[in-house]
Amino acid sequence: MNQPSIPLPLARALLHPFYRLTFQRWLPWKVQRLLLDVAARTQPMPPGATTRTLWLGERRAEVVSAGETAGPGAVLYLHGGGYTVGSIATHRSLAAHLARAAARPVYLLDYRLAPEHPCPAPVQDAVAAFDALGRAGYASGTIALAGDSAGGGIALAAAQAIVARGGVQPAALVLLSPWANPAKRASRHRDLVVNRPWGFACADAYRGDGDPVDPVYAPQLGPMAGLPPTYLHAGLREMLYDQCLQLAVLLRRAGIQLRYVESPDLWHAGQVQAGLVRAAADSLEDVGDYLRRIFDTAKSIVS
């Protein structure tokens, strides 16, 4: 397989002006969504990747596979985008690279977006999708919840809800640069991808008329006890670094089995560029190795 080859300095130089143009609070959400979907066409898929459209709950989804499947298990992936933008299209390449690395299918969910559908709509969609996978035959401990940025926040909130009610449980959590507390204002003004004014607008749109300290809105304020093994990734130079570090502390205090990875090279949710940048592809390889071990353990217990 050909490896991504764009050097990190060149990737940063190309991405920064695009993100700076797109993620502006004065730019209509529909325009931001369109720009991101168009740019997503530049993200290569790995060889042999396949996609299939389906419904999970009442939302459209896409199952992405790449290469042979190593055994039982699947990943339910929630895309990032500040709870307001992003789509299946923007994260299809990431999902395909993750599917190849984990040797499991990845289900990308088209959850509802704010401001049209504020909290708790995306979390409800994620839980409904998880339940739909359970009804489709995935047993307890064989579905991992994953997401980047806002999608990481949704994945964490959904996992908390699923754990609290009992029944079929997630196998693992994968949180890539998660935005798990929109109520907390970042101390840094911007990073390569996002900026504070845009973040304020997204947080307000997602909150709607809700309570800013509601754990469904801000799952970092919610219960960590009982969560599944968790993979948490943060870039050292990203705006959410402090929040990610705090989340790692909270997970460890709760006794959660945690793999916490800090990257000096990758930007916020840089795994989206896995088809273009070697460091992003390597990051997803590490996530895939982690998930393989989790699924293999679940397989041996069931056997």
Side-chain angles (χ1 to χ4, degrees):
M1 175 180 169
N2 294 329
Q3 290 291 338
S5 59
I6 296 181
L8 281 168
L10 178 57
R12 293 190 187 98
L14 293 172
L15 290 170
H16 182 62
F18 170 73
Y19 282 131
R20 189 159 188 174
L21 167 67
T22 303
F23 293 148
Q24 293 290 344
R25 65 179 306 164
W26 47 263
L27 199 62
W29 302 118
K30 290 183 179 180
V31 176
Q32 295 183 41
R33 294 167 189 169
L34 177 61
L35 289 172
L36 289 169
D37 281 351
V38 170
R41 298 172 186 171
T42 66
Q43 304 288 349
M45 300 279 279
T50 62
T51 64
R52 177 172 59 88
T53 301
L54 70 162
W55 290 85
L56 292 177
E58 296 184 356
R59 299 302 300 172
R60 188 172 66 91
E62 192 169 279
V63 57
V64 184
S65 299
E68 296 184 3
T69 299
V75 181
L76 175 59
Y77 197 93
L78 294 313
H79 67 77
Y83 301 96
T84 58
V85 300
S87 67
I88 288 174
T90 61
H91 283 64
R92 185 177 288 122
S93 174
L94 183 158
H97 284 85
L98 178 57
R100 183 185 58 79
R104 302 298 193 283
V106 174
Y107 290 81
L108 269 172
L109 182 67
D110 182 29
Y111 62 83
R112 289 172 289 176
L113 297 174
E116 298 92 336
H117 303 284
C119 183
V123 179
Q124 293 170 340
D125 292 343
V127 173
F130 181 89
D131 291 343
L133 289 174
R135 291 192 298 272
Y138 289 103
S140 186
T142 63
I143 308 170
L145 282 166
D148 63 282
S149 192
I154 296 168
L156 177 57
Q160 289 171 339
I162 292 166
V163 167
R165 73 179 188 190
V168 176
Q169 294 292 294
L173 261 177
V174 174
L175 308 175
L176 307 176
S177 303
W179 194 15
N181 187 359
K184 183 176 177 59
R185 306 306 195 186
S187 57
R188 307 182 189 193
H189 182 71
R190 67 163 56 248
D191 58 29
L192 184 142
V193 178
V194 293
N195 60 82
R196 288 182 68 188
W198 181 78
F200 294 166
C202 291
D204 291 344
Y206 182 52
R207 188 181 69 251
D209 296 327
D211 186 344
V213 297
D214 181 350
V216 179
Y217 171 73
Q220 191 151 329
L221 306 178
M224 302 295 163
L227 288 174
T230 299
Y231 184 109
L232 173 58
H233 179 279
L236 290 174
R237 293 185 284 182
E238 67 172 292
M239 202 168 71
L240 291 179
Y241 170 74
D242 293 342
Q243 192 174 124
C244 292
L245 181 59
Q246 182 186 21
L247 178 58
V249 170
L250 293 172
L251 289 166
R252 285 188 174 124
R253 284 178 181 171
I256 304 307
Q257 178 185 322
L258 176 67
R259 174 162 171 74
Y260 176 54
V261 178
E262 293 183 344
S263 171
D265 299 319
L266 277 185
W267 42 88
H268 176 69
Q271 291 82 2
V272 171
Q273 281 80 40
L276 299 171
V277 177
R278 179 63 182 267
D282 289 345
S283 176
L284 287 183
E285 285 289 342
D286 191 54
V287 175
D289 288 344
Y290 177 83
L291 288 175
R292 281 187 186 223
R293 291 194 296 271
I294 294 291
F295 288 133
D296 288 345
T297 300
K299 180 181 178 180
S300 65
I301 291 174
V302 172
S303 301

